């Protein structure tokens, strides 16, 4: 069905992905347009990634890589989707030196790709080592966070925390990695250390905003089974009526079995900002199906008129 339209990029990709592992590479190759390494064309550029994948699956790895290399550049432009396909192929075949030597890639990008690939292969410790030189620079929030996440998976918690210490004083907004760290500490039975970590300045700087850190404390209390305490602290906040606190409060109340209170809280949130998934689920559980449908539709209608969020949470 897909074959006659395989000149379309999306169709070609779907054809290649849907036939992976079927042993029909020769048939698939016959359906794809011919792409030559020595003749650049717009049509070839659209499907070169798919053609290269099929060549790779047929064991013609060198030919596949040569094809991708030929299509990375054209008339001074760099086609990053082709570049990423080439990088991924180099990774799959453990050709790390060639990956490092790609002239179009800065070393941080290469290290990130290497870390991802090593993690996928279960080589997490090696992934941490790949990122280590770039963490030491203290320049990129994302690299530090990725390294901290991987170190946490290895239960090297102290190392992960020290990685976060190299971050600049503000602007990180990496609450997710803070959450990963305290969650793992609790899972290891190191509950007091989890609370101490959130009291540490490194957690505040990683979160980037006091509001995010406050919510991490609330989530930690709930994760430790102290749901009533978490609810009380959140309910007492002077801005609890604002969506970014009301939605978590509604979720906490629902998790604590206080369904009617959760519905009441979530209903007060402006439609565009409302946690409609949780609210609708709770309403359905109470047999209020029509109301749940109306709630979902009202959010969809209101969200189009919502002004862009500035990204600022002042708590």
């Amino acid at each position: 069905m897909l074959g006659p339209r395989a000149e379309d990029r999306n169709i070609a990709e779907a054809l290649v992905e849907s036939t992976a592992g079927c042993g029909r590479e020769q048939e698939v190759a016959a359906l794809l347009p011919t792409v030559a390494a020595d003749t650049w064309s717009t049509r070839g550029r659209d499907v070169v990634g798919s053609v290269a994948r099929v060549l790779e699956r047929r064991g013609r790895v060198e030919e596949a890589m040569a094809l991708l290399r030929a299509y990375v550049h054209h008339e001074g432009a760099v086609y990053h989707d082709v570049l990423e396909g080439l990088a991924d192929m180099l990774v799959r075949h453990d050709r790390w030196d060639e990956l490092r030597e790609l002239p179009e890639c800065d070393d941080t990008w290469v290290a990130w790709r290497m870390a991802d690939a090593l993690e996928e292969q279960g080589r997490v410790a090696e992934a941490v080592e790949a990122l280590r030189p770039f963490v030491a620079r203290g320049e990129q929030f994302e690299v530090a966070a990725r390294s901290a996440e991987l170190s946490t998976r290895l239960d090297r918690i102290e190392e992960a925390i020290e990685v976060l210490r190299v971050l600049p004083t503000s602007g990180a907004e990496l609450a997710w990695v803070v959450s990963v760290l305290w969650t793992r500490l609790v899972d290891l039975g190191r509950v007091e250390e989890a609370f101490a970590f959130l009291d540490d300045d490194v957690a505040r700087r990683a979160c980037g905003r006091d509001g995010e850190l406050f919510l991490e404390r609330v989530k930690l209390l709930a994760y430790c089974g102290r749901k009533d305490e978490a609810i009380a602290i959140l309910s007492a906040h002077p801005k609890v009526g604002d969506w970014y606190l009301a939605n978590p409060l509604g979720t906490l109340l629902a998790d604590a079995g206080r369904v009617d209170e959760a519905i009441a809280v979530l209903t007060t949130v402006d439609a565009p900002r409302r946690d409609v998934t949780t609210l609708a689920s709770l309403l359905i559980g109470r047999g209020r199906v029509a109301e749940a449908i109306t709630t979902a539709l009202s959010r969809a209608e209101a969200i189009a008129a919502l002004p862009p969020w500035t990204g600022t949470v002042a708590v």
Side-chain angles (χ1 to χ4, degrees):
M1 181 177 72
L2 295 175
R5 302 176 59 194
E7 291 188 4
D8 176 90
R9 175 176 180 165
N10 294 327
I11 298 297
E13 290 176 355
L15 176 64
V16 172
E17 292 304 317
S18 64
T19 56
C22 295
R24 302 178 64 180
E25 280 72 21
Q26 190 166 350
E27 294 175 67
V28 174
L31 293 171
L32 293 170
T34 300
V35 181
D38 58 354
T39 307
W40 199 98
S41 68
T42 301
R43 185 181 70 171
R45 180 253 178 279
D46 287 342
V47 298
V48 66
S50 298
V51 173
R53 271 307 263 134
V54 174
L55 286 170
E56 180 188 19
R57 288 186 343 207
R58 298 174 70 186
R60 296 159 62 179
V61 176
E62 298 303 328
E63 189 176 343
M65 289 186 180
L67 194 59
L68 289 170
R69 289 182 190 278
Y71 273 82
V72 167
H73 304 98
H74 183 63
E75 296 182 349
V78 177
Y79 292 94
H80 289 280
D81 57 333
V82 180
L83 178 61
E84 290 182 9
L86 174 58
D88 288 342
M89 194 174 294
L90 289 169
V91 163
R92 283 194 294 274
H93 296 278
D94 288 333
R95 293 164 68 159
W96 307 109
D97 290 340
E98 290 178 65
L99 178 63
R100 294 187 185 96
E101 292 168 2
L102 289 176
E104 303 83 3
C105 304
D106 63 64
D107 51 4
T108 303
W109 185 88
V110 170
W112 189 280
R113 303 293 287 198
M114 289 175 63
D116 282 349
L118 289 165
E119 181 192 15
E120 289 175 4
Q121 296 173 19
R123 299 157 65 183
V124 179
E126 292 176 67
V128 172
E129 291 305 313
L131 293 174
R132 191 180 299 280
F134 309 97
V135 170
R137 297 178 187 175
E139 298 171 353
Q140 299 213 8
F141 299 133
E142 295 81 3
V143 172
R146 189 79 172 93
S147 178
E149 178 197 15
L150 293 170
S151 294
T152 300
R153 286 180 49 192
L154 295 169
D155 292 338
R156 288 153 51 174
I157 308 296
E158 290 74 15
E159 180 180 330
I161 293 172
E162 290 307 310
V163 164
L164 294 181
R165 288 192 192 282
V166 307
L167 294 173
T169 56
S170 63
E173 300 184 14
L174 296 172
W176 68 269
V177 76
V178 170
S179 184
V180 167
L181 273 161
W182 67 248
T183 299
R184 187 58 186 153
L185 282 168
V186 173
D187 290 345
L188 291 170
R190 298 163 62 180
V191 177
E192 294 305 317
E193 290 179 64
F195 282 99
F197 167 59
L198 290 186
D199 288 334
D200 195 314
D201 185 61
V202 68
R204 181 190 62 77
R205 291 192 296 112
C207 283
R209 295 189 294 259
D210 290 341
E212 295 287 356
L213 183 59
F214 172 77
L215 287 174
E216 290 303 317
R217 291 181 190 279
V218 170
K219 289 190 287 185
L220 173 56
L221 286 168
Y223 193 73
C224 292
R226 296 160 63 178
K227 292 181 181 178
D228 288 340
E229 187 178 347
I231 290 169
I233 290 173
L234 195 47
S235 299
H237 195 284
K239 293 186 178 180
V240 69
D242 291 348
W243 66 271
Y244 57 87
L245 297 181
N247 281 328
L249 176 58
T251 300
L252 276 175
L253 287 165
D255 289 344
R258 297 159 63 175
V259 175
D260 292 329
E261 292 176 73
I263 291 174
V265 167
L266 293 172
T267 302
T268 65
V269 180
D270 291 340
R273 304 292 196 189
R274 184 180 298 148
D275 181 356
V276 70
T277 302
T278 299
L279 179 55
S281 177
L282 295 174
L283 288 169
I284 292 170
R286 282 289 191 253
R288 297 156 63 178
V289 178
E291 191 175 344
I293 294 172
T294 300
T295 296
L297 291 175
S298 65
R299 183 179 186 278
E301 292 168 357
I303 204 164
L306 183 68
W309 182 42
T310 62
T312 301
V313 176
V315 178

